[in-house]
């Protein structure tokens, strides 16, 4: 996502005329548009390695744990901790 934001920022700077990336127009646009292929490469790599799925599963597990804790508090039970031995 960061590559996309950087690419959009570069486009705004280029079209606004605030920054001249290169004297040659072809190389200027090549530099401006370079973050977009990098973003595609990053997304392809994260999908291939399973990073995207792992992050989704971690987020789902965190939501499940928060929901369970909220339900336990609603029932009046304290947070489960180590049990005392007699």
């Amino acid at each position: 996502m960061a590559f996309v934001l950087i690419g959009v920022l570069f486009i705004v700077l280029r079209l606004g005329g605030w920054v001249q990336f290169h004297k040659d127009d072809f190389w200027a646009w090549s530099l401006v548009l370079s973050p977009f292929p990098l973003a595609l490469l990053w997304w392809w790599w994260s999908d291939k390695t399973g990073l995207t799925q792992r992050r989704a599963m971690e987020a789902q597990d965190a939501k499940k744990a928060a929901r369970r804790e909220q339900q336990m508090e609603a029932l009046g039970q304290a947070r489960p901790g180590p049990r005392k031995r007699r």
Side-chain angles (χ1 to χ4, degrees), residues 51-65:
L51 181 65
T52 306
Q53 187 65 28
R54 257 193 318 270
R55 285 184 179 170
M57 288 172 61
E58 288 172 0
Q60 186 178 11
D61 290 342
K63 285 180 184 179
K64 186 194 305 185

Side-chain angles (χ1 to χ4, degrees), residues 13-86:
L13 290 174
R14 172 80 169 126
L15 292 177
W18 293 295
V19 176
Q20 182 180 359
F21 290 97
H22 198 272
K23 292 180 183 179
D24 185 23
D25 205 33
F26 172 76
W27 287 111
W29 279 109
S30 297
L31 289 172
V32 167
L33 298 176
S34 64
F36 296 110
L38 292 174
L40 289 174
L41 183 65
W42 168 256
W43 285 327
W44 173 81
W45 178 81
S46 66
D47 284 342
K48 282 291 188 188
T49 59
L51 181 65
T52 306
Q53 187 65 28
R54 257 193 318 270
R55 285 184 179 170
M57 288 172 61
E58 288 172 0
Q60 186 178 11
D61 290 342
K63 285 180 184 179
K64 186 194 305 185
R67 188 172 54 241
R68 184 178 188 283
E69 184 176 329
Q70 182 184 16
Q71 290 173 352
M72 293 296 278
E73 287 176 4
L75 289 172
Q77 296 180 355
R79 295 178 106 185
R83 293 183 178 183
K84 295 181 181 177
R85 292 188 173 199
R86 293 182 183 192

